[in-house]
Amino acid sequence: GKCVLVGGLARIEVIGDTKPFLFTFFVANDIKLHPTSSANADNFIETHTGALLTPPLQKREESFEWEHHDVEIEGSGWKEAA
């Protein structure tokens, strides 16, 4: 699957049908977006927390866990935004 890390704030994963997709993010200039594969996301988070991924998060050794939310988005392809 595919994944976008929104600074140290969120991890957005596309699960299931991975046809080409487009997300638009409205974030402050200091928050960097990091597209990566879902398989590489955990390693990227552990390696870059507090540096590339800001605002800094607690280290995983401190039992930090992401909250999980399922969101379904439907659209009509490139003709209509969801």
Side-chain angles (χ1 to χ4, degrees):
K2 300 187 186 230
C3 178
V4 177
L5 301 172
V6 183
L9 300 172
R11 172 180 173 166
I12 299 173
E13 285 191 59
V14 176
I15 299 172
D17 189 3
T18 58
K19 292 180 181 177
F21 60 91
L22 176 67
F23 285 120
T24 302
F25 295 89
F26 296 94
V27 297
N29 290 336
D30 292 339
I31 297 175
K32 304 301 179 203
L33 303 175
H34 301 279
T36 186
S37 68
S38 295
N40 189 42
D42 287 332
N43 184 48
F44 193 91
I45 290 168
E46 286 189 28
T47 304
H48 298 291
T49 296
L52 291 176
L53 295 177
T54 56
L57 298 173
Q58 300 170 354
K59 295 284 185 183
R60 287 196 180 254
E61 297 85 49
E62 298 174 17
S63 299
F64 173 81
E65 292 191 27
W66 295 93
E67 286 187 27
H68 180 87
H69 302 275
D70 287 328
V71 178
E72 289 189 35
I73 300 173
E74 294 184 26
S76 297
W78 62 274
K79 294 181 180 182
E80 178 183 330

